[in-house]
Amino acid sequence: MDRDSSDEDDRRTLIHQNDTKNLPHQIPTIPRASTPPRSSFRIEEIESQIRRRFKLSLNKRYLFAIILPLLIIPIFFSADIRSLFSSNISSLKFNMVSDRIKESQLQALYLLNQQQSSLLSLWNHTFVNSNNNVTAVQFDDMKAVLLNQITLNKQIQQTLLSPHKTGDAVENVTVLDPNYAGYSFGRCRKVDQKFAERRTIEWKPKPNKFLFAICLSGQMSNHLICLEKHMFFAAVLNRALVIPSSKFDYQYNRVLDIHHINDCVGQKVVIPFEDFMEIKKNRAHIDRFICYFSSPQPCYVDEEHLKKLRSLGISMGKLQNAWKNEDTKKPSTKTIKDVEEKFASDDDVIAIGDVFFAGVETDWVTQPGGPIAHKCKTLIEPSKLILLTAQRFIQTFLGSDFIALHFRRHGFLKFCNVKNPSCFYPIPQAADCITRMVERANTPIIYLSTDAAESETGLLQSMVVVNGKTIPLVKRPPRSSAEKWDALLYRHGIEDDPQVEAMLDKTICAMASVFIGAPGSTFTEDILRLRRGWGTGSLCDEYLCQGEVPNFIAGEE
């Protein structure tokens, strides 16, 4: 209670003092108790003085209000008021321009560094090896690099000039015209396959004349190359080609479109084994079994496979060698005339042993589209299901502009090291070769077809870097119900077939902008065959680290 009353007294005192202070012209009250009584004359005198002071105060106020504008006017004309404000604005503008100049200088230094690196790279890869002849592709690379440096120089000039231009945005660099100075930036452009100049042979089988294909060397890629050569032999000999049974060879109808071949040629030139056996009422006889190679063993076929043929209802006579000393390790060059002389026959059914290594009319057989006259791009190509699945994968993950890399590693170390030079490259060296190709092709992503372990692909991924940016290496992901790009394979029950997966990889690689292959691999060779036939081959297509020797090679066992 005491504290409250004391606080109230203090508050009243403060209010009273504040009220007194806030009234400068308040007439003071005359104390009564402390002052003795005064006369009326004295009171009137005091009141008169107060009125005079009050009027004087009012007069001073009016006088001040009149004089103040008179003082401001000369000051305004004698001093530039605007300069007081514009100085701050000018300072702000100067700082902004200064910052833009610094930023432009840093950008220009970065671009100059890029230009220097590119020119040094061009020097190292071209003029250091001046003793070697420069290929057309290398010359195109030189032209393209130099033109790019001209564009980069223009960009540097615009960057340095940008602070002196009005507006906030820096003008975009105008890319040089593709035909600038008569040259082209398309250094990785498509190869003109000159299909109109193809040398072809008509395939017109005689009635009831068949050639039984034997392909046993290596894996599926070898068999497809062998099958294409058998097709050429069949066309030369005017016979229909019998596709082997899946019990004797691969299940070709899962990866190839047999009907596509017949449609392209315009008549029934290939026939599945089952249809052939139906014509022969399940008891077929090979009238002549001719071996193209006599060494290391006749027809490159072993007794186990001969037993498989017999178990399928095929009977045959003794194997015959077309030449006495034709070795798979050193095949000799043969012509179409040699084929006609050694394999022509009036017999209904003949078989020719494995011809994968055969050196018959190589330029003719390996030309774009193959050696046989037809209305399609290629005869041996992936089935429709695989082709559509590959297109869906590209649309989902890659887009139209990508490099495909066949990076074979499993079993390749020993295979390559018996060659001279070796074709097995350490990961850092391989990454450097791939990076150079990415720079040359100017592509943002790589499709990786590989059998390498994760430890190798992980290291490779970390080392493929261009301008500080890691270039993604994309592999086909495991099956996921959330993704529909591979639904066709699952719908037809062929999703787990390793040959289907291998053909899918080939198809994706064959549709890439640029392809980097594994030297010595028939998987790579079959991709190159498709790229030639489809017209997707690029001037930049090459083998990994082509022209280089591995910078380290392990010793022999």
Side-chain angles (χ1 to χ4, degrees), residues 148-369:
N148 280 333
Q149 297 316 305
I150 295 172
T151 302
L152 186 59
N153 188 274
K154 178 67 175 177
Q155 186 178 358
I156 295 170
Q157 293 180 50
Q158 290 191 359
T159 301
L160 290 172
L161 289 173
S162 62
H164 306 286
K165 297 179 180 180
T166 58
D168 295 331
V170 179
E171 292 183 7
N172 292 328
V173 177
T174 302
V175 179
L176 288 177
D177 184 84
N179 297 317
Y180 180 85
Y183 298 128
S184 171
F185 275 113
R187 49 182 165 171
C188 289
R189 61 186 180 274
K190 302 303 179 187
V191 176
D192 181 6
Q193 302 293 352
K194 301 180 180 179
F195 291 106
E197 301 177 10
R198 286 176 60 226
R199 178 190 177 192
T200 60
I201 183 173
E202 297 289 333
W203 191 356
K204 298 179 178 179
K206 295 178 181 179
N208 297 316
K209 299 297 181 181
F210 302 97
L211 170 61
F212 202 95
I214 304 293
C215 294
L216 300 174
S217 169
Q219 298 182 0
M220 173 64 86
S221 297
N222 298 45
H223 288 223
L224 292 177
I225 295 172
C226 171
L227 197 63
E228 184 179 38
K229 292 182 179 181
H230 268 302
M231 290 168 59
F232 178 64
F233 277 54
V236 171
L237 301 172
N238 297 315
R239 292 176 176 273
L241 185 68
V242 179
I243 302 296
S245 167
S246 60
K247 296 179 181 178
F248 178 78
D249 201 343
Y250 288 111
Q251 193 169 350
Y252 288 103
N253 62 350
R254 284 197 163 194
V255 296
L256 300 180
D257 191 344
I258 305 299
H259 299 293
H260 164 81
I261 300 174
N262 292 329
D263 291 341
C264 291
V265 177
Q267 57 184 312
K268 197 168 186 177
V269 293
V270 294
I271 180 172
F273 176 80
E274 293 74 19
D275 294 353
F276 169 73
M277 291 302 289
E278 186 177 342
I279 294 172
K280 296 298 182 179
K281 302 191 183 301
N282 295 322
R283 297 303 299 177
H285 178 73
I286 297 177
D287 300 308
R288 290 185 65 194
F289 203 132
I290 310 170
C291 302
Y292 188 97
F293 291 101
S294 57
S295 180
Q297 62 187 94
C299 288
Y300 207 79
V301 61
D302 53 19
E303 186 60 33
E304 181 182 352
H305 281 90
L306 293 175
K307 289 180 180 178
K308 286 183 179 180
L309 281 176
R310 296 187 184 102
S311 68
L312 293 172
I314 304 292
S315 61
M316 67 200 76
K318 187 178 180 181
L319 304 184
Q320 306 171 25
N321 290 324
W323 295 280
K324 290 183 179 180
N325 298 311
E326 191 66 19
D327 194 335
T328 58
K329 295 181 179 179
K330 295 180 179 180
S332 59
T333 301
K334 305 294 182 184
T335 65
I336 191 172
K337 185 178 180 180
D338 296 326
V339 173
E340 291 174 334
E341 288 179 354
K342 294 296 183 178
F343 300 98
S345 172
D346 291 332
D347 297 305
D348 290 342
V349 182
I350 68 171
I352 299 178
D354 197 311
V355 292
F356 168 73
F357 297 100
V360 178
E361 303 285 2
T362 303
D363 293 339
W364 191 358
V365 171
T366 59
Q367 68 181 331

